[in-house]
Amino acid sequence: MEEARQVDATRRGRFITLEGPDGAGKTTQAHLVAAILRAHGKEVVTTREPGGTAVGNRLRQVLLDPETPVQPTTETLLMFAARAEHVARVIEPALAAGRWVVCDRFTDSTFAYQGDGRGIAKGDIEALAAFTHAGCWPDLTLCLDVPPATSAERMHERTLDGFEREDGDFHRRVREGFAKRAAKEARIVVIDGSRALDMVSRAVRNTVEAFIRRSEATR
Ligand code: T5A
């Protein structure tokens, strides 16, 4: 029995998330992270939240639609409903098969947006996280930090979803929410995402390559 557990632990992949305010550059950097991992011989699954499954994508449409605003409690429960499906159907099976999962947003976003942004109690979010994905937390989180003005500048030419249409105070609280999470969780590495793309990419590359080295040393 003990031997079987050790074999599973050796095979398990790693879970990397990208976090930060809207327009911070997460999607751009998620592509780079996946490319770095593949260059190191890892099998990679890239995904995002809310979404990542058929049901998750339908919930994403509801959550991001500015024409159907919902109560903060409803919003929080829908985020976790999408996440429950995502963890069970995509993230856990991939990790168990030894693949590395790169996910654009996860529960740190719920703490920042629904917690600090909307005022949902952190204890309630912690309880929902324990109910939905106890034992499945990211091994590494890259949190791209940008001020609200930079986010707004980067998004100015596109149609904004419900979250992106929130006012500056909401976006300031969300940014502070991510900073609070980073102060609490050692797995979260904050990267200044407001710099030129090549500088942000270099910082991301250094962090991911150091993480790969640490992971290989502990295998
Ligand atoms: N949400 C999500 C919650 O409220 N609670 C939750 O629990 C979860 C999981 C998701 C929304 O849902 C909310 C948060 C979000 O508001 P989304 O469309 O997936 O909606 O939103 P984002 O994740 O914010 O995706 P975005 O596309 O808006 O932002 P990204 O991915 O951070 O940024 P990216 O890479 O698309 O870049 C944006 C633009 O900036 C440029 C890019 O080329 C692009 O044009 N760019 C840079 N320009 C200059 N310098 C750099 N360093 C740049 N990096 C990127």
Side-chain angles (χ1 to χ4, degrees):
M1 195 61 189
E2 186 57 31
E3 197 181 10
R5 268 206 303 275
Q6 278 174 3
V7 171
D8 284 345
T10 307
R11 267 181 60 80
R12 192 173 167 84
R14 297 290 186 272
F15 184 19
I16 299 178
T17 56
L18 291 106
E19 295 281 7
D22 296 279
K26 297 175 301 300
T27 309
T28 307
Q29 296 303 332
H31 293 306
L32 175 66
V33 173
I36 295 167
L37 296 176
R38 289 190 178 112
H40 281 263
K42 311 294 181 198
E43 270 192 71
V44 181
V45 172
T46 57
T47 186
R48 67 168 179 186
E49 289 208 349
T53 65
V55 166
N57 285 327
R58 289 172 76 171
L59 291 173
R60 178 185 175 90
Q61 285 174 356
V62 172
L63 282 159
L64 268 56
D65 183 357
E67 305 304 320
T68 58
V70 291
Q71 292 299 308
T73 306
T74 314
E75 189 175 270
T76 306
L77 292 170
L78 290 177
M79 289 293 176
F80 275 108
R83 186 163 298 138
E85 203 60 15
H86 195 203
V87 170
R89 289 186 186 273
V90 177
I91 298 174
E92 265 299 340
L95 294 171
R99 300 194 177 90
W100 288 45
V101 175
V102 177
C103 187
D104 195 336
R105 296 194 182 282
F106 195 62
T107 297
D108 295 312
S109 279
T110 316
F111 277 100
Y113 283 79
Q114 282 65 51
D116 293 271
R118 303 278 196 230
I120 295 289
K122 298 288 168 57
D124 289 339
I125 298 174
E126 275 160 16
L128 285 166
F131 179 58
T132 308
H133 59 90
C136 181
W137 283 92
D139 299 294
L140 171 69
T141 297
L142 303 164
C143 184
L144 300 173
D145 177 52
V146 292
T150 305
S151 302
E153 210 174 283
R154 289 187 189 166
M155 295 184 301
H156 83 284
E157 277 182 358
R158 69 182 200 203
T159 309
L160 301 182
D161 65 39
F163 291 100
E164 292 162 354
R165 289 181 193 199
E166 290 290 340
D167 64 19
D169 267 355
F170 176 84
H171 291 293
R172 265 187 291 281
R173 290 197 301 279
V174 167
R175 185 186 186 202
E176 282 168 20
F178 280 119
K180 282 189 237 165
R181 290 293 292 161
K184 200 164 169 257
E185 300 289 340
R187 70 180 155 79
I188 303 179
V189 177
V190 179
I191 289 172
D192 178 358
S194 66
R195 294 171 294 173
L197 186 55
D198 62 335
M199 291 182 73
V200 180
S201 299
R202 196 175 317 149
V204 166
R205 177 177 289 281
N206 289 342
T207 305
V208 172
E209 288 187 337
F211 177 74
I212 294 169
R213 283 195 295 276
R214 282 202 305 279
S215 296
E216 284 172 354
T218 55
R219 274 197 179 256

